[in-house]
Amino acid sequence: MAEGDEGSDQRQNEEIEAMAAIYGEEWCVIDDCAKIFCIRISDDIDDPKWTLCLQVMLPDEYPGTAPPIYQLNAPWLKGQERADLSNSLEEIYIQNIGESILYLWVEKIRDVLIQKSQMTEPGPDVKKKTEEEDVECEDDLILACQPESSVKTLDFDISDNRTEVEELPPIDHGIPITDRRSTFQAHLAPVVCPKQVKMVLSKLYENKKIASATHNIYAYRIYCEDKQTFLQDCEDDGETAAGGRLLHLMEILNVKNVMVVVSRWYGGILLGPDRFKHINNCARNILVEKNYTNSSVSGSSYYIYLENFSSLPGNFLKRQN
């Protein structure tokens, strides 16, 4: 590894640790290996009126010669307002080339949200959900930030005119990950209809070990050719926000017609945010192993993500040589 690459990696790790320490539960690890992170930013932490999710991926060249690749996720952020905010982030990068800028980006976005909340316009009409209590962690956890896309999240009930395949699909099991006596294992099955999702779950629960897991988190994505959209859903199974983060990972990887279940056997030691890293790594590994992704994503090959970062300014898409 070149000396410059080692320096960039060290600076990235230091910045990641600092962001996690500063923002706590607002900071979310999506994929630790590919260095993809998400942070929920609000105008007011105690009583948020406007909220936005900033998702970033750190290329190998950051912060030396390349900016973070980013996506802004908020249902209300559109048109000129989105363009203005993107331009502001780009200006911060240009003014601080070679420096770590994630903190500056977050606080700039927060300033924009505060200014917006001070205006007369009301906040977005969003139903508040009752948060589930996480028995394993002292602090509350945020739901994973969902990217904007033409996706529908549906229940198992679908229209009668949809042809369903009623055969139980094959189920593959991934290599377990163990950390501090907790064990995580992913299970994968191809699915083309919600009924197959139920069949896979029933089959897995026939296994006494899987049925006895502390959590069986799952998510699935089914592509509907006729409507050019996705049926998708997820389940936390008591591990607050884990299902949403798993589904988010599958969206980032752009997988379709597949279901992933991650079993977690709690070993008695609290893992904190590391448990989400293990859940996503288990899922990502088996999706790559079974060829549901174009390639194995690493920090040095990040082009496969570019389609998912629709808000990226044009000149940010150019890889620095």
Side-chain angles (χ1 to χ4, degrees):
M1 180 180 290
E3 182 178 350
D5 292 338
E6 291 179 353
S8 294
D9 191 58
Q10 180 179 350
R11 293 176 66 185
Q12 286 184 14
N13 291 336
E14 291 174 352
E15 185 176 21
I16 291 167
E17 291 177 4
M19 295 293 288
I22 293 170
Y23 296 108
E25 64 182 24
E26 292 181 308
W27 178 260
C28 165
V29 179
I30 301 298
D31 190 325
D32 194 42
C33 295
K35 293 191 176 178
I36 303 175
F37 308 93
C38 183
I39 181 168
R40 185 181 67 173
I41 310 165
S42 302
D43 57 323
D44 188 306
I45 296 178
D46 297 325
D47 186 22
K49 182 179 179 182
W50 296 96
T51 299
L52 181 149
C53 287
L54 170 67
Q55 181 176 302
V56 296
M57 182 169 66
L58 307 183
D60 287 349
E61 299 85 351
Y62 172 78
T65 59
I69 297 174
Y70 73 94
Q71 180 175 354
L72 301 170
N73 294 319
W76 52 266
L77 186 64
K78 299 177 182 178
Q80 190 60 45
E81 197 169 19
R82 174 182 287 273
D84 290 343
L85 183 53
S86 295
N87 289 337
S88 296
L89 300 186
E90 183 175 356
E91 288 177 5
I92 290 174
Y93 168 70
I94 293 173
Q95 294 169 3
N96 298 272
I97 290 178
E99 302 296 329
S100 300
I101 60 170
L102 293 185
Y103 176 80
L104 297 177
W105 275 10
V106 171
E107 292 309 308
K108 175 60 181 179
I109 293 172
R110 195 184 306 279
D111 288 343
V112 170
L113 297 180
I114 291 174
Q115 292 176 15
K116 192 174 181 65
S117 69
Q118 293 172 348
M119 299 171 65
T120 56
E121 57 180 312
D125 183 18
V126 178
K127 290 184 177 180
K128 292 185 177 180
K129 297 183 178 180
T130 302
E131 294 183 358
E132 296 182 11
E133 182 179 356
D134 188 346
V135 298
E136 285 190 29
C137 191
E138 300 81 10
D139 49 356
D140 294 330
L141 297 162
I142 64 170
L143 290 176
C145 309
Q146 299 297 328
E148 300 172 20
S149 58
S150 57
V151 173
K152 297 179 181 178
T153 302
L154 302 179
D155 295 328
F156 285 127
D157 295 331
I158 59 176
S159 56
D160 293 335
N161 58 3
R162 177 176 174 82
T163 303
E164 294 192 353
V165 179
E166 297 188 4
E167 295 182 357
L168 175 67
I171 302 174
D172 291 298
H173 308 280
I175 298 173
I177 294 176
T178 300
D179 180 12
R180 285 164 281 180
R181 299 206 301 259
S182 281
T183 299
F184 303 79
Q185 185 178 28
H187 321 281
L188 179 149
V191 293
V192 295
C193 67
K195 188 167 185 179
Q196 282 189 316
V197 173
K198 298 181 72 174
M199 294 171 69
V200 170
L201 290 173
S202 296
K203 184 63 177 179
L204 286 174
Y205 276 107
E206 290 178 6
N207 183 299
K208 292 183 179 180
K209 182 178 179 181
I210 295 175
S212 66
T214 311
H215 309 288
N216 282 300
I217 304 115
Y218 72 82
Y220 68 87
R221 301 188 82 216
I222 300 171
Y223 186 66
C224 304
E225 294 283 353
D226 54 344
K227 297 181 180 179
Q228 298 290 297
T229 188
F230 283 87
L231 293 175
Q232 64 179 35
D233 205 352
C234 59
E235 170 59 44
D236 295 337
D237 193 28
E239 184 67 288
T240 307
R245 297 182 186 202
L246 176 58
L247 180 59
H248 192 193
L249 172 69
M250 295 172 70
E251 289 175 323
I252 291 173
L253 296 177
N254 196 29
V255 300
K256 63 181 180 180
N257 298 333
V258 65
M259 172 185 187
V260 177
V261 181
V262 178
S263 302
R264 189 255 176 114
W265 292 270
Y266 178 51
I269 300 175
L270 300 179
L271 302 186
D274 283 350
R275 65 194 190 277
F276 297 110
K277 177 181 68 176
H278 297 321
I279 291 167
N280 273 15
N281 281 343
C282 275
R284 179 176 170 275
N285 290 344
I286 198 169
L287 286 167
V288 170
E289 179 187 346
K290 299 303 175 182
N291 298 317
Y292 278 90
T293 61
N294 292 331
S295 65
S296 180
V297 180
S298 67
S300 61
S301 63
Y302 57 87
Y303 274 124
I304 66 172
Y305 282 100
L306 294 182
E307 292 181 357
N308 298 291
F309 288 81
S310 57
S311 65
L312 196 63
N315 60 328
F316 274 28
L317 291 175
K318 299 177 182 177
R319 187 179 177 94
Q320 302 287 335
N321 292 322

